[in-house]
Amino acid sequence: MTLTTTGAEAARGHYDAVIVGAGWAGSLIAKNLDARGWRVLVLEAGEGETQTWSGYLDSLETFHSAVAKVPNSAYRHNRAAPSPDVLDLSPKQLSAQDEREYIANGYFVQNGPLPYGSDYIRALGGAGMHWLGAVPRMHAEDFATHENFGYGRDWPIDASVLEPYYAEAEHQLGVSGDAAEQRDLGVVTDRDYVYPMHQIPPSHIDNHCREKVDGATITDPMGAERTLHVTGLPQARNSTPNPNHHHNTTHGYQPKGAVGLPNYGERCVGNASCVPICPVQAKSSPQRLQDDFSDRVTLATRSVATRVLRGHDDRVRAVEYRSYGDPASPVSEPHTVRTDIVVLAGHAIENARLLLFSELANSSGHVGRNLMDHPTTLAWALADSQVGPFRGPGHTSGWEEFRFGRERASRAPFRIEISNWGWQWSTGAPMSNVAAALGLGGDADGSVRDSGHLGPELRRLLGDSISRQLQLQIAIEQWADPQNRVTIDPSRYRDAMGNPRPIITYDLDDHVRDGVFAAYHVSERIFGELGATSYTHHAPINGAPRIGHFRRGDTDLTYSGAGHGAGTHIMGTDPGDSVVDSFQRTHDHPNLYAVGCGSMPSVGTSNPTLTMAALALRSAERIHRDLVELSQPAVVRPRPAEDAKEMV
Amino acid sequence: MFGKEVSYLSDTTQSPEAEDAPLLDSPPVPDRGATLRFVTLSVPLTGFAEFDLHATGMAQLYLYTAQRQVGETRFDAFLDTVEKESNPWVDPLALTSTDREIARAVTYLWYTGAWPRLAVAAHADLRREVPNAEFVVAPSAYTEGLVWRTFNGHPMGAKPPGYGTWAIEPASTPSFSAIASECAPGEEPMGQQDEEAGAVDPAPHLLPGPRVSRDIPPSAVPTAHAANAGGSNE
């Protein structure tokens, strides 16, 4: 049972550790420290209404009534703890060369050549509420791109160090997957490993692609030649438990379902709305972990950390935060809570913002730098027969072959997701199909269109043109470039409560752009193999470039954000060019940790949550050891003379 | 919500200002007769039978929404026109341009649960003070959208079909004549040829193109360009 409290009450307690942020990383560490007997305070900036079933249903209705069903559409706007939204970006009619092609409204201030197109949500559970639940592991070669391919940064640890933590994270998140397939890919190396639950069934679209494309050889423009095979995706989503799964001394797995409604959501029923909200909670979320907290953990919602306070030496001593009563207004009051260990577990951008405003951990000058995402390019087509889109989880399989290999030296690698949700992301289907088939909305000059259908022909046309929709979502690796960064300017840009807003400077370098270019060409060749008609369109429309548009040579390309923000408090061995060590402890302050995707030196082509979770579990062990050391009693030695006497 | 206010379902000639109106700020909700007529005339617009339209439970709310957006008198006139023009289907080009856009908006409402953004010329012609912006009428309207049924689907985030159903081949979508006979039993389909599903790609202007940004509502997404726009990328 999750016990939440107010910020004012929380400040009166004593805690061994204070964790800022109740998303995946913060909740995993809190649960782990709780299990070892430590008293923990978790400060959550946002609202916590989703932990009750009625509050969760309210979020579901918020999603149902949203015009734009984007990742944050299920979660109410919060003035006290604002979140960035993909709706904040608008295109700009091009007037001059070299001008920025976007306008950024909302929480982020953006001044880069290209837009940072990702959001996150400041609410209980964080982005772990609206995530898809895709949990592939990183590949061994992803941890050392500099050594292997000459770009990016290498990790101070390798895949073998993380492997047991990956397995533990998969147990705690509740993952369904086929370990044999992942072994073939090389990301699982333990021969006996079994996921907690059987693989989520691949979609009919996956099977369509397997039948038509498996065994075909595709060559990208850089000469990388790959024979394609559809591979299933491990997902933090409930399926059938696998009795062969082992965890410590127990075997089997009991799925955990909805929080606040027992015996519900223990298996995915195909609502097809994982992003932004799973109506039955078969998709895993941090609320499941919070539900298991004992009363040693205090969870305070509506509590916005403002600064971490430093003591007289290198150690930090307290967290300053503000609590508010109404998310519609930023009226708040300040509190300070002292503690032995501080763990920043907000989103990568929030962690950087807090460190910068606290003026901590930045002797390297790298706080806020190396911001990464997975720039994602979309490709869409009509299949030659109906394939059954808009059913099941967002994607259940992909083509993994272009993720690996020596060609990474010449262009960024990419992972091809086969979408189960038709043209939703690219065009706003199926609603936009209705408008287009009707001829609704007028011409560019505002006049009513002549052509369009009504009645039975409309219905037939929609049935045909929606049921054949295919979409590929291709996530491209972005390496840690110090030029991509988060800064603050408290004198100019603050939110309504008075906290500094993140200022983002973002771009894609040539290596990444070449990856987008290669991905586009590969998608066209795949559609050729499928016998599908491509409708992929990256060129400006009526003079307006799509968000994320750029040109590579004569080719128009676009990318979207994947919501995979990373790299802002980067991990390394050298305190001169990194912020945290391999335990995510800041080099500058022995009792200040910054955890989450912000620590990752590279993101590979895997959705980063699982790697973040593995890192958090490793950090929890280290924090436990720190706390044990701090609470060791002083060693009281008897006088040597007496010692000697007793020895006799 | 409207469905539960039983008093509204009875015939009433009261003006909303009347002292004995059921609730102080209650809107002048359409009566049963008007709702039945609206549903009958929505059949040639949507291609769904009266039975299916009633089964959404949304008819009264949709009529009310359309009246508010278009103006009550103007919408009555529009329904008269639809009645006159349905034979049994409605040829969009037989309608004036503003009536054509209203017909599309009402159909969009039935299909998606949202009132769309209209062509600027039509919105201006209606001389309404309501903003020309898309909005979802009610959370339950979204889940009752007819568009999902055109391809044997279910609304995303509601009415889930069950574990593993996404792995099976979906049932094929109905032909024009099957739909027509469902809507108007006994009527001969007129002038329409059945097309083999999947044999021909639809004209690009009947398909959506890319959303330039995520804040573009579905009703304002530009239509697709020629198939394989990849060619124009190079």
Side-chain angles (χ1 to χ4, degrees), chain A residues 114-181:
Chain A
L114 290 177
Y116 178 80
S118 279
D119 61 4
Y120 50 86
I121 179 81
R122 293 169 78 195
L124 188 67
M129 300 307 293
H130 73 197
W131 73 319
L132 178 65
V135 285
R137 296 186 187 185
M138 281 173 67
H139 190 280
E141 70 176 44
D142 294 331
F143 292 87
T145 58
H146 188 75
E147 187 189 326
N148 292 327
F149 312 111
Y151 72 90
R153 288 172 66 126
D154 293 348
W155 289 57
I157 50 176
D158 61 23
S160 66
V161 173
L162 276 191
E163 176 137 16
Y165 298 101
Y166 269 139
E168 177 64 22
E170 283 154 358
H171 183 82
Q172 298 222 7
L173 269 60
V175 174
S176 302
D178 177 354
E181 263 187 332

Side-chain angles (χ1 to χ4, degrees), chain A residues 177-196:
Chain A
D178 177 354
E181 263 187 332
Q182 298 300 308
R183 265 190 291 275
D184 287 347
L185 273 184
V187 298
V188 172
T189 54
D190 178 353
R191 225 184 263 204
D192 302 320
Y193 183 70
V194 173
Y195 281 102

Side-chain angles (χ1 to χ4, degrees), chain A residues 38 57 68 71 105 153 177 182 186 230 247 249 278 314 316 324 332 349 377 384 438 443 465 519 568 630 645 648:
Chain A
W38 302 109
L57 290 181
N105 304 299
R153 288 172 66 126
Q182 298 300 308
V230 171
H247 181 252
T249 56
C278 172
D314 286 342
V316 295
Y324 60 93
S332 62
I349 290 171
T377 193
D384 58 358
L438 283 164
D443 285 330
S465 57
T568 52
L630 282 170
K645 216 183 285 175
V648 176

Side-chain angles (χ1 to χ4, degrees), chain A residues 556-635:
Chain A
D556 287 294
L557 296 165
T558 65
Y559 70 94
S560 301
H564 298 175
T568 52
H569 40 85
I570 206 155
M571 175 191 296
T573 46
D574 180 359
D577 73 353
S578 61
V579 179
V580 300
D581 66 15
S582 77
F583 294 100
Q584 307 188 83
R585 183 165 57 174
T586 58
H587 293 303
D588 296 352
H589 314 284
N591 64 339
L592 174 62
Y593 284 74
V595 304
C597 295
S599 300
M600 294 169 69
S602 71
V603 291
T605 43
S606 321
N607 311 52
T609 298
L610 186 74
T611 303
M612 170 177 77
L615 286 172
L617 291 169
R618 187 165 180 268
S619 295
E621 287 182 359
R622 179 70 236 182
I623 293 165
H624 166 67
R625 290 206 297 275
D626 290 354
L627 286 168
V628 168
E629 281 170 24
L630 282 170
S631 50
Q632 288 285 343
V635 180

Side-chain angles (χ1 to χ4, degrees), chain B residues 6-77:
Chain B
V6 178
S7 57
Y8 293 142
L9 288 174
S10 57
D11 282 347
T12 171
T13 51
Q14 290 164 342
S15 74
E17 292 82 21
E19 274 177 24
D20 52 350
L23 284 172
L24 266 182
D25 294 325
S26 62
V29 169
D31 63 36
R32 185 188 293 277
T35 305
L36 289 173
R37 178 170 185 251
F38 172 64
V39 167
T40 304
L41 295 174
S42 291
V43 173
L45 301 181
T46 60
F48 279 87
E50 281 186 36
F51 180 87
D52 292 311
L53 299 180
H54 280 296
T56 64
M58 291 291 136
Q60 197 177 32
L61 179 58
Y62 287 169
L63 173 56
Y64 170 69
T65 302
Q67 287 172 340
R68 290 270 294 217
Q69 292 298 314
V70 174
E72 207 172 330
T73 317
R74 181 69 184 78
F75 194 69
D76 274 348

Side-chain angles (χ1 to χ4, degrees), chain B residues 9-223:
Chain B
L9 288 174
S10 57
D11 282 347
T12 171
T13 51
Q14 290 164 342
S15 74
E17 292 82 21
E19 274 177 24
D20 52 350
L23 284 172
L24 266 182
D25 294 325
S26 62
V29 169
D31 63 36
R32 185 188 293 277
T35 305
L36 289 173
R37 178 170 185 251
F38 172 64
V39 167
T40 304
L41 295 174
S42 291
V43 173
L45 301 181
T46 60
F48 279 87
E50 281 186 36
F51 180 87
D52 292 311
L53 299 180
H54 280 296
T56 64
M58 291 291 136
Q60 197 177 32
L61 179 58
Y62 287 169
L63 173 56
Y64 170 69
T65 302
Q67 287 172 340
R68 290 270 294 217
Q69 292 298 314
V70 174
E72 207 172 330
T73 317
R74 181 69 184 78
F75 194 69
D76 274 348
F78 163 76
L79 288 178
D80 290 343
T81 308
V82 173
E83 187 162 28
K84 205 171 69 202
E85 291 296 335
S86 41
N87 183 28
W89 316 119
V90 173
D91 177 3
L93 287 174
L95 306 174
T96 66
S97 64
T98 299
D99 275 344
R100 191 156 68 239
E101 196 71 353
I102 297 171
R104 289 167 176 165
V106 170
T107 310
Y108 187 83
L109 182 57
W110 280 109
Y111 269 70
T112 69
W115 184 263
R117 194 166 90 174
L118 305 179
V120 173
H123 191 261
D125 186 44
L126 290 170
R127 299 170 65 90
R128 300 295 296 166
E129 285 174 359
V130 287
N132 188 14
E134 179 164 348
F135 64 96
V136 177
V137 169
S140 53
Y142 162 74
T143 61
E144 292 300 330
L146 299 172
V147 61
W148 309 102
R149 299 179 51 181
T150 65
F151 59 99
N152 300 318
H154 69 92
M156 299 175 87
K159 307 182 184 180
Y163 180 74
T165 46
W166 53 89
I168 58 162
E169 188 176 353
S172 50
T173 56
S175 64
F176 178 90
S177 51
I179 296 168
S181 63
E182 192 183 302
C183 295
E187 291 278 354
E188 278 296 305
M190 28 161 268
Q192 298 276 357
Q193 296 293 311
D194 259 2
E195 285 170 31
E196 190 74 18
V200 188
D201 287 329
H205 71 268
L206 297 172
L207 296 172
R211 265 191 304 188
V212 187
S213 63
R214 301 288 290 274
D215 64 345
I216 308 250
S219 59
V221 170
T223 57

